[in-house]
Amino acid sequence: MPKVKTHSRAKKTFKVTGSGKITRRKAFRKHLLTKKSAKRRRSLDGSVFIHSANLKLVKRMLNMR
């Protein structure tokens, strides 16, 4: 029986909290920040929880069945 492998990008992208929820960083925060307003940059700070519509897919990539 082959080993079950975790998706390599998923393990770098998502973090699992102590209560089992999955967090992610917001997009559009890496570069080209000079054209974005300060309000927009602040709103892109921090991390958010994975939406319920994507939860099944992300859990499968992280082998959290």
Side-chain angles (χ1 to χ4, degrees):
M1 192 73 187
K3 289 184 179 180
V4 179
K5 296 195 175 184
T6 303
H7 192 278
S8 291
R9 185 66 220 173
K11 65 185 172 187
K12 298 168 191 171
T13 305
F14 305 111
K15 299 285 179 247
V16 182
T17 64
S19 61
K21 294 179 181 176
I22 303 172
T23 61
R24 64 169 178 87
R25 298 281 303 183
K26 290 185 182 177
F28 307 108
R29 188 65 169 106
K30 287 287 188 182
H31 59 93
L32 301 175
L33 297 174
T34 53
K35 64 173 76 173
K36 295 169 185 148
S37 68
K39 181 179 178 180
R40 184 174 169 197
R41 288 190 307 243
R42 277 194 310 274
S43 74
L44 294 172
D45 271 349
S47 58
V48 291
F49 293 117
I50 295 292
H51 193 272
S52 59
N54 300 320
L55 200 55
K56 187 178 178 182
L57 173 69
V58 174
K59 280 187 172 184
R60 193 169 71 211
M61 286 194 292
L62 294 172
N63 290 324
M64 295 177 60
R65 295 187 176 118

